Amino acid sequence: FNTLFNNYTMGLFKLVALLLAAGFIGAVDSRAINYPVTSASGLDSLSGPRSNHTAFAKALNTAQTSYMCKSEYIDFSDSAALSKFNIAWCPQNAYQTSNSVVWRLTAECGTTMIYPWDFQYGKIEARVRVSPGSGVVSTILLAGPDPADELDWEWVGKDTYTAQSMYFVKGQRVDPNAAFVHTPGDTPQDMAAGFHNYAIELNKDSVKWYIDDWLTRTLPKLDGVPFPSGAS
């Protein structure tokens, strides 16, 4: 089973991309990913890898700091593109072709790709062809340090006409049900048959999920209701 990523359009974000092999290796929870260092409030808007940020954590906890924002576009026709990611799980199962990166699922394992930059607010967008097959789950997620706030796009291989948007606050489901959506238009398309653009936008007062530039879901921030503002 292969999940293909074409070119990434990236802005102020870190991508954690996960291919789960529930049918072969048991049900794997994406929230079990552990980062080697922690992030302080305000740390996510730094322009730099998480490992370079920890020295500033104490100061950022006690003072407001402004940082220059930037966007990044990753083109997988560039042979060096995969080196921008940490392949934290089964690195042999993530490889580049002439214009994409493939996540391969074998009987031993799937794979995890982590884009190791933090952000506070911003938008992540990926052009993806998901993987079909019972027991296969493909995921794009934003996750903070444990206990993690998390924002997800998720595809279950037995139903590739449907995408699921989910969120967690401090590792807990707030909305007990995922929002199930399909591609724009009256006739849903098979998301394993071709590439589509999927985006998650985290704002101070809302989260938005998009397919092919079509806004499929908006989660507003409401007083007294847990909100995944720490997903990064």
Side-chain angles (χ1 to χ4, degrees), residues 16-231:
V16 179
L18 182 65
L19 177 60
L20 303 180
F24 290 99
I25 58 174
V28 182
D29 191 333
S30 59
R31 295 181 301 288
I33 296 172
N34 292 312
Y35 296 107
V37 296
T38 58
S39 173
S41 175
L43 191 63
D44 293 337
S45 55
L46 270 170
S47 177
R50 182 185 297 269
S51 59
N52 292 341
H53 292 166
T54 51
F56 303 100
K58 184 176 180 180
L60 288 171
N61 272 331
T62 57
Q64 285 190 330
T65 309
S66 297
Y67 297 95
M68 181 68 69
C69 297
K70 72 170 189 174
S71 297
E72 183 167 0
Y73 177 82
I74 299 178
D75 183 348
F76 282 108
S77 65
D78 178 356
S79 60
L82 196 56
S83 66
K84 295 177 180 287
F85 295 82
N86 295 331
I87 312 301
W89 192 21
C90 299
Q92 70 276 13
N93 285 349
Y95 62 92
Q96 284 185 250
T97 65
S98 61
N99 64 353
S100 63
V101 63
V102 178
W103 298 340
R104 182 174 59 184
L105 172 61
T106 63
E108 290 75 27
C109 57
T111 193
T112 303
M113 287 173 51
I114 301 173
Y115 188 73
W117 292 69
D118 292 322
F119 76 102
Q120 185 171 21
Y121 303 112
K123 186 177 183 180
I124 177 174
E125 184 173 24
R127 186 163 177 80
V128 183
R129 190 176 79 194
V130 303
S131 180
S134 180
V136 180
V137 179
S138 304
T139 304
I140 301 171
L141 64 90
L142 302 175
D146 289 335
D149 287 1
E150 182 180 317
L151 299 168
D152 294 3
W153 269 122
E154 186 172 296
W155 301 267
V156 178
K158 66 180 181 180
D159 178 14
T160 55
Y161 286 83
T162 303
Q164 303 178 28
S165 60
M166 297 184 290
Y167 69 99
F168 302 82
V169 178
K170 304 302 181 186
Q172 302 297 315
R173 287 284 292 269
V174 178
D175 184 350
N177 299 311
F180 295 86
V181 296
H182 55 74
T183 53
D186 296 331
T187 304
Q189 299 178 45
D190 183 355
M191 294 177 232
F195 286 93
H196 295 275
N197 293 335
Y198 303 92
I200 300 172
E201 182 179 4
L202 174 60
N203 303 301
K204 184 179 296 186
D205 58 359
S206 67
V207 179
K208 298 179 179 181
W209 288 261
Y210 300 85
I211 299 179
D212 292 335
D213 298 321
W214 174 50
L215 179 61
T216 63
R217 180 183 185 183
T218 300
L219 173 69
K221 184 176 183 180
L222 302 174
D223 290 341
V225 179
F227 184 79
S229 56

